[in-house]
Amino acid sequence: GIYLKAKRRLWIYQKMKNCNNCKRSIIELHQNFEDWNNSEIPKQKNILKTKIQDFLNPNFQIVYPDATKQNKIQFSNMIYKDHGSSKSFNIKLKNIKIQKNRSKYLARYQEWQYNKNKCFLKIQTSSVLQRNPKTKKIQFLQIHETQKKFKT
């Protein structure tokens, strides 16, 4: 009775903690994108590694709305080139929802991108995340973006 209830509460707590870690990783990575594009952090390979690449699984893949794909190296190279590309770039994340499926997490959220406080892109994003067994950090395995109109 009591032992099983305590064990279940611990399981629920761990599940919520891991989902909160996923949410924190999503928010932190997007904040790093903002900082990188706004030149708020220096354009250095070691900083790119800690601020962007460490969030990405070695098998990472992103799929864009036009169905083009990039792996971790291609994506990292693109991000590196984008350093300082917009001094007033801002991302707002909305409606972050996370579900656990065995050892992976499915996250869905809306990403609103702004330049000079004007929204120029709205993206519906689905991501698959997983805890890295070596570093214990939550990492992105896949990101799927679709441009989609949704209520403002």
Side-chain angles (χ1 to χ4, degrees):
I2 293 174
Y3 173 76
L4 289 176
K5 285 181 183 178
K7 192 172 179 180
R8 173 128 174 92
R9 267 191 238 123
L10 179 62
W11 178 80
I12 290 169
Y13 170 76
Q14 286 295 101
K15 187 175 178 181
M16 287 174 51
K17 181 180 169 193
N18 288 333
C19 286
N20 286 337
N21 288 342
C22 285
K23 187 174 182 178
R24 196 172 14 259
S25 292
I26 291 166
I27 292 167
E28 191 175 342
L29 178 62
H30 285 81
Q31 181 62 55
N32 293 343
F33 287 145
E34 273 187 32
D35 293 346
W36 187 264
N37 281 318
N38 290 321
S39 296
E40 292 179 20
I41 50 180
K43 185 177 183 178
Q44 297 173 359
K45 293 279 185 179
N46 63 325
I47 293 176
L48 178 74
K49 182 184 179 325
T50 59
K51 296 292 186 180
I52 308 292
Q53 293 174 326
D54 285 353
F55 284 86
L56 309 177
N57 183 280
N59 298 317
F60 171 80
Q61 179 176 295
I62 185 167
V63 181
Y64 295 102
D66 65 359
T68 59
K69 300 175 186 177
Q70 288 182 318
N71 63 28
K72 182 176 181 175
I73 293 168
Q74 294 165 328
F75 182 72
S76 297
N77 288 339
M78 180 195 71
I79 295 297
Y80 188 77
K81 290 175 188 169
D82 282 349
H83 185 269
S85 61
S86 177
K87 301 294 184 196
S88 58
F89 179 70
N90 182 274
I91 298 172
K92 289 187 180 162
L93 300 175
K94 300 182 180 190
N95 302 321
I96 299 173
K97 301 206 179 346
I98 299 168
Q99 294 175 289
K100 187 172 190 320
N101 183 2
R102 298 183 188 181
S103 65
K104 295 178 178 68
Y105 300 89
L106 174 63
R108 293 186 195 104
Y109 51 93
Q110 297 168 354
E111 180 180 327
W112 294 34
Q113 295 184 6
Y114 294 80
N115 195 3
K116 298 181 181 172
N117 295 322
K118 184 177 180 183
C119 184
F120 69 91
L121 185 61
K122 298 174 186 174
I123 301 170
Q124 182 71 35
T125 303
S126 295
S127 301
V128 178
L129 301 99
Q130 183 176 32
R131 183 177 301 282
N132 183 314
K134 292 179 185 173
T135 65
K136 305 295 184 209
K137 284 186 75 168
I138 298 288
Q139 292 183 317
F140 288 78
L141 284 168
Q142 291 185 346
I143 297 175
H144 294 264
E145 295 182 339
T146 56
Q147 282 182 288
K148 181 179 175 183
K149 292 183 180 181
F150 40 84
K151 294 178 184 176
T152 56

